[in-house]
Amino acid sequence: MTIRKTLARLALAAAAAVLTLPAQAEESGWAQLNLPRGVTDISRKIYALHMEVFWICVGIGVVVFGVMIWSLVAFRKSKGAVADTTMVHNTMVEIVWTIVPVIILIVMAVPAARTLIEIEDTTRTGLTVRVTGFQWGWQYEYLDDGVMYYSHLDRASDAARELGSPIDPNTVPYYLWNVDHPLVVPNGVKVRLLITGADVIHSWWVKDLGVKKDAIPGFINEAWFKIDDGWTGMLRGNCAELCGRDHGFMPIVVDVRSRADFDTWLKSTAAQERAAAAPAAPAATPATAPAATAPAAATAAASG
Amino acid sequence: MAEHQAHAATHEHHEHKPHGWRRWVFATNHKDIGTMYLVLSGTMFFIGGLAAMGIRAELFSPGLQFFDPQFFNSLTTMHGLIMIFGAIMPAFVGLANWMIPMQVGAPDMALPRLNNFSFWILPFAFTLLMSSFFVPGGAPAGGWTMYPPLILQTGAAFPMLIFSVHLMGMSSILGAINIIVTIMNLRAPGMTLLRMPLFVWSWLITAYLLIAVMPVLAGAVTMLLTDHFFGTTFFTAAGGGDPVMFQHIFWFFGHPEVYIMILPAFGIVSEIIPTFSRKPLFGYESMVYAVASIAFLSFIVWAHHMFTVGMPLAGDLFFMFTTMLIAVPTGVKVFNWTATLWKGSISFETPMLFALAFLFLFTIGGFSGVMCAIVPADFQYQDSYFVVAHFHYVLVTGAAFAIMGAVYYWLPKWTGHMYNEKMGKFHFWMSTIWVNVLFFPQHFLGLAGMPRRIPDYPVQFTDLNMLSSIGGFMFGLSQLIFLWNVISCIRGGEKAPAKPWEGALGLEWTLPSPPPYHSFETPPTAVWEHPYQAD
């Protein structure tokens, strides 16, 4: 990339940051600089908390930095300011600036605790998927339906990401944010994820769902999301816990479909997996059929 | 009194001041050892900085241009280890060595040979650690946090990592013991605890933190070592162990460690701001209590580093509330510094500029810290660039800026020469502007969904990464001005008076610049009515 082109991009980014007002919709440059509101009730609550705390911090900043800047301007020696060396202590003021922050913190803590309690409620779920992170990809198992598959970085990204690859990442659609087999889920259903790790610790993060949970060998963590009724499309995320050489190359893609489309997909995938398993290993059950790879074996150990 | 003087006279007679290489290898003098600590810290700062330049170069644009991802992971891991254990911590110990005896009116540190030992462990520790770049499998690449099971996949570098961490821990513990003994036993008559300078106070508390948590780190890495070589399964689920337990133990060390890296900075800023405001520190006692309560709280907040591991709800809530509480004493400190500026007579020499930048930028790091304490929101921030931005605001514009301010503040005392003020201000403005170009965009990258510790990223993140990298390169280059200024000041310059700063308080300014070999041969005999005021 030429320097001029780089500078132009930087100028554009800066302009986008400065000129676009927060009120202007999600698609604007400004929205890309902030947490997304996301597609679930929880992700919007997290967004609201994030903004609430952010604006409280801005408010405190304006006051504190205001006083600091005022002092630096008003009490300059070069303008003849003389120090008041008797001003060393004031119990009343000190009590006030201890208690006021406590009150502000309580104002922040109450809604945070409320949202957290809601996030931790994993009861009454409609679909359960086991998610296993491995070096380097994800394994998804629909536990009640005998469907299991692996999800890796897509081939186009994989070719472009090689050291010294001639392929320009800008020409690859969804570079490093695309996979061969996304996680398919229905909207309007409370989906429970059982998250574990096969080898080292990974972390399953999709910001539009407001979900980040570590995938730890020997542990099964729970998380859930319920995507807005009627919302369909693709959501993209990443592994968030350093997991070795290709930590940066195991994205997560969630394919959100309507209830009916999802059911059709699930049935046909289950049938396909059964068909594929049958000639190769007649004795095996569908869920463990495509085994013989490290992750599947390790998952069995982890769940045991 | 006469006895003291007689003793001092004989002492001077038998000074045995070694010269040449012996002066450094057999050093027992607090100033020589302090200098060695600071030189080591500066060296590590530039080596760790080189690793950071490599990271920022690879992240300048999408795709892999320079490094294999494994080597990139080694760079991030070594950058963290070198900067924390090699740059920040030895800098504070070096400052403690130089300043604590002079600030409490002592001839030297209480345990000079131990002092020599605790320094000379470090060059070996870092040689061992950095030579791991050349062994099969490369340098450690599992992150400075060394989480198992990943860290157990390290190649031949693994035992080198563990032993170098052991050595660093040993050095820190010995250094901390020396500092506590010095402060407790060698204070000038009349200097009660609540009349000590704040730098001494903050170091006293820091030293206790070091003694409390360094053995915990040593225990954690020893368990890694036996897991790797002797068939134990402390952290391996398949053998009944628990990988999350490592994180709990590590962060029980790690969070106090965060304060080990910031409390002495609080002390430094509490020295510099009153000096250049020409006004005593506002709320001296509440400053001491604030440092003590931050130190106490640091032991009960550790799990806020691991909100996403899946703790029970009660655990998440407990650690959220305790973490938020830290904002209270930290706020008290910021307000006290601000009140010190109020109705002062302020001038803007280089040390003051760094202290003021600390005041603004550390507070920004504090704000993002409060945001990270909010557990539901932290589910989004955790392990993203938002967190990278947060801890670099507290560690670079917090700890490192305070150290730079301290070097400018005491350099005339150490060398007997004034540094170049114009160059110092140039260094300050370059550093402050570029450090913000470097780290501020990383907040937005994190919120937009960029995870930390990745060598390559989706193209949506390109612009801000380029901006951040440019800031990084320029910030790195700016530090060469600092190096040049310090070296020129050591070699010569305008003669510094005993007290080069009009508003400076404290015993160190009663000594000539540079101070004599044994700082106070006779303890200053003063009646203390207030901190910093002997008359």
Side-chain angles (χ1 to χ4, degrees):
Chain A
M1 193 176 297
T2 63
I3 291 179
R4 180 178 299 183
K5 221 166 139 193
T6 307
L7 288 177
R9 293 180 70 118
L10 288 176
L12 266 177
V18 175
L19 295 178
T20 328
L21 295 167
Q24 278 178 341
E26 305 240 344
E27 303 305 314
S28 69
W30 179 259
Q32 287 179 15
L33 297 177
N34 201 351
L35 276 184
R37 286 188 175 78
V39 296
T40 70
D41 193 36
I42 291 292
S43 71
R44 278 186 297 270
K45 281 183 178 159
I46 291 176
Y47 175 83
L49 263 179
H50 158 73
M51 291 314 288
E52 180 208 324
V53 178
F54 170 73
W55 286 117
I56 289 175
C57 288
V58 168
I60 299 170
V62 166
V63 174
V64 174
F65 292 156
V67 177
M68 286 180 195
I69 292 168
W70 176 268
S71 315
L72 295 180
V73 172
F75 306 115
R76 275 175 297 168
K77 188 181 181 241
S78 59
K79 295 288 168 218
V82 179
D84 175 5
T85 51
T86 60
M87 196 192 122
V88 290
H89 171 67
N90 185 327
T91 311
M92 198 56 220
V93 170
E94 288 172 59
I95 289 172
V96 168
W97 71 38
T98 309
I99 291 181
V100 170
V102 172
I103 295 169
I104 296 174
L105 288 173
I106 291 170
V107 169
M108 292 194 260
V110 171
R114 218 172 262 151
T115 308
L116 183 62
I117 290 166
E118 209 176 322
I119 290 173
E120 297 289 322
D121 176 16
T122 49
T123 57
R124 292 191 302 278
T125 50
L127 171 72
T128 300
V129 183
R130 181 156 70 190
V131 179
T132 308
F134 60 90
Q135 287 175 318
W136 289 273
W138 300 95
Q139 180 193 23
Y140 299 114
E141 292 168 275
Y142 295 75
L143 291 178
D144 301 327
D145 306 281
V147 168
M148 188 286 290
Y149 56 91
Y150 298 101
S151 173
H152 292 98
L153 182 67
D154 70 311
R155 281 167 182 270
S157 294
D158 202 34
R161 65 110 175 181
E162 289 301 322
L163 187 58
S165 164
I167 306 164
D168 177 3
N170 290 293
T171 64
V172 178
Y174 294 106
Y175 176 63
L176 297 189
W177 255 349
N178 211 356
V179 295
D180 49 3
H181 304 295
L183 171 67
V184 183
V185 293
N187 61 29
V189 174
K190 187 167 177 180
V191 179
R192 180 171 65 148
L193 301 180
L194 299 176
I195 302 173
T196 187
D199 33 42
V200 300
I201 302 174
H202 305 265
S203 190
W204 198 87
W205 178 27
V206 176
K207 63 188 196 305
D208 288 287
L209 298 176
V211 172
K212 182 187 288 141
K213 203 67 141 181
D214 290 359
I216 304 168
F219 281 72
I220 295 181
N221 272 330
E222 282 184 296
W224 66 272
F225 55 83
K226 188 178 172 197
I227 296 161
D228 297 341
D229 241 334
W231 196 93
T232 57
M234 297 290 198
L235 300 171
R236 293 166 204 280
N238 305 77
C239 175
E241 179 70 51
L242 178 62
C243 58
R245 184 177 181 275
D246 283 354
H247 162 56
F249 307 99
M250 48 181 288
I252 297 154
V253 179
V254 182
D255 180 355
V256 185
R257 304 189 181 185
S258 69
R259 190 69 214 249
D261 284 358
F262 172 78
D263 285 340
T264 316
W265 171 85
L266 192 63
K267 275 206 193 81
S268 71
T269 313
Q272 273 172 27
E273 288 199 6
R274 267 195 304 273
T285 59
T288 54
T293 51
T299 311
S303 59
Chain B
M1 194 66 228
E3 208 178 82
H4 265 302
Q5 274 161 357
H7 174 75
T10 41
H11 204 79
E12 186 136 31
H13 194 65
H14 298 286
E15 204 168 55
H16 296 307
K17 197 167 156 182
H19 292 280
W21 62 271
R22 282 189 179 80
R23 173 179 172 192
W24 305 107
V25 173
F26 301 137
T28 51
N29 183 279
H30 74 100
K31 301 188 197 71
D32 288 347
I33 293 172
T35 303
M36 290 196 292
Y37 266 112
L38 291 172
V39 169
L40 175 85
S41 158
T43 313
M44 290 298 141
F45 179 62
F46 282 99
I47 294 175
L50 215 57
M53 297 297 103
I55 292 167
R56 283 318 322 168
E58 183 56 68
L59 290 175
F60 186 78
S61 57
L64 293 176
Q65 290 80 32
F66 305 107
F67 309 127
D68 180 84
Q70 182 72 15
F71 185 76
F72 181 90
N73 290 346
S74 292
L75 284 182
T76 54
T77 303
M78 295 294 276
H79 167 73
L81 287 167
I82 289 175
M83 286 304 199
I84 290 166
F85 293 103
I88 302 286
M89 291 172 70
F92 284 134
V93 182
L95 292 169
N97 255 292
W98 258 101
M99 300 320 301
I100 287 175
M102 293 205 275
Q103 288 193 323
V104 301
D108 204 307
M109 295 293 281
L111 309 164
R113 287 199 174 81
L114 191 75
N115 207 3
N116 176 294
F117 184 48
S118 62
F119 170 76
W120 276 109
I121 290 174
L122 286 181
F124 293 95
F126 287 103
T127 309
L128 185 64
L129 181 64
M130 290 191 300
S131 55
S132 70
F133 268 113
F134 308 103
V135 301
W144 83 275
T145 46
M146 301 178 281
Y147 282 5
L150 180 62
I151 199 70
L152 299 172
Q153 296 181 348
T154 309
F158 182 76
M160 302 166 85
L161 167 70
I162 301 298
F163 287 132
S164 64
V165 170
H166 277 149
L167 289 173
M168 293 166 202
M170 215 186 292
S171 160
S172 292
I173 292 170
L174 298 179
I177 289 172
N178 205 351
I179 286 167
I180 292 174
V181 175
T182 306
I183 296 173
M184 287 309 191
N185 293 288
L186 298 187
R187 273 172 290 131
M191 184 186 273
T192 58
L193 286 178
L194 276 176
R195 283 165 199 174
M196 298 194 305
L198 259 169
F199 180 67
V200 178
W201 249 118
S202 65
W203 242 118
L204 180 64
I205 291 169
T206 304
Y208 278 108
L209 287 184
L210 277 168
I211 290 178
V213 300
M214 278 299 165
V216 177
L217 175 66
V221 298
T222 306
M223 284 189 266
L224 286 179
L225 190 77
T226 61
D227 268 12
H228 194 288
F229 291 111
F230 306 125
T232 59
T233 52
F234 290 112
F235 307 127
T236 310
D242 179 349
V244 177
M245 186 175 73
F246 176 86
Q247 299 185 21
H248 282 291
I249 301 173
F250 180 85
W251 286 114
F252 186 81
F253 144 80
H255 204 76
E257 168 70 15
V258 170
Y259 293 117
I260 287 165
M261 291 189 284
I262 204 65
L263 295 185
F266 288 169
I268 290 164
V269 170
S270 304
E271 301 283 320
I272 295 176
I273 288 182
T275 295
F276 297 98
S277 305
R278 292 164 181 79
K279 185 165 162 283
L281 185 69
F282 187 87
Y284 171 88
E285 283 192 28
S286 69
M287 286 302 237
V288 173
Y289 298 139
V291 173
S293 35
I294 291 171
F296 169 73
L297 286 173
S298 77
F299 286 105
I300 53 167
V301 297
W302 75 87
H304 70 210
H305 294 269
M306 36 193 292
F307 280 141
T308 60
V309 299
M311 279 182 290
L313 174 64
D316 279 349
L317 286 174
F318 173 81
F319 287 107
M320 172 164 81
F321 295 145
T322 52
T323 302
M324 292 174 84
L325 265 186
I326 293 182
V328 176
T330 313
V332 166
K333 299 201 72 76
V334 172
F335 300 144
N336 276 333
W337 288 319
T338 309
T340 308
L341 296 171
W342 189 260
K343 290 191 178 176
S345 171
I346 302 169
S347 59
F348 299 91
E349 287 82 349
T350 311
M352 181 61 162
L353 289 174
F354 274 102
L356 291 173
F358 171 97
L359 202 50
F360 282 88
L361 300 176
F362 176 79
T363 304
I364 290 179
F367 288 148
S368 55
V370 172
M371 294 176 79
C372 288
I374 307 293
V375 182
D378 185 70
F379 288 155
Q380 298 281 37
Y381 310 143
Q382 170 87 37
D383 277 312
S384 80
Y385 257 82
F386 189 82
V387 171
V388 176
H390 158 69
F391 67 70
H392 281 96
Y393 263 85
V394 292
L395 280 177
V396 179
T397 58
F401 267 39
I403 291 166
M404 290 176 195
V407 169
Y408 282 113
Y409 184 55
W410 284 309
L411 203 54
K413 173 60 57 190
W414 300 338
T415 62
H417 305 130
M418 295 306 288
Y419 61 86
N420 184 328
E421 187 66 50
K422 262 201 187 122
M423 210 194 290
K425 282 187 174 147
F426 182 55
H427 168 227
F428 167 78
W429 284 110
M430 291 291 283
S431 297
T432 304
I433 290 167
W434 294 114
V435 85
N436 284 294
V437 175
L438 164 58
F439 293 122
F440 208 76
Q442 295 183 357
H443 291 111
F444 301 119
L445 282 171
L447 296 177
M450 180 167 161
R452 62 190 285 208
R453 294 164 163 173
I454 56 171
D456 193 4
Y457 46 79
V459 293
Q460 286 86 340
F461 301 138
T462 309
D463 299 331
L464 288 175
N465 268 298
M466 280 184 180
L467 190 63
S468 178
S469 288
I470 291 170
F473 301 143
M474 293 304 291
F475 179 72
L477 283 176
S478 310
Q479 302 322 308
L480 298 176
I481 310 169
F482 182 47
L483 184 68
W484 179 253
N485 205 354
V486 170
I487 291 175
S488 343
C489 179
I490 293 168
R491 304 180 101 193
E494 188 194 328
K495 185 98 191 67
K499 196 176 99 168
W501 315 119
E502 186 191 9
L505 300 169
L507 286 177
E508 73 263 39
W509 309 108
T510 63
L511 291 169
S513 305
Y517 192 65
H518 298 295
S519 303
F520 283 92
E521 302 209 347
T522 51
T525 49
V527 181
W528 297 77
E529 290 189 357
H530 309 287
Y532 300 99
Q533 284 182 348
D535 42 26

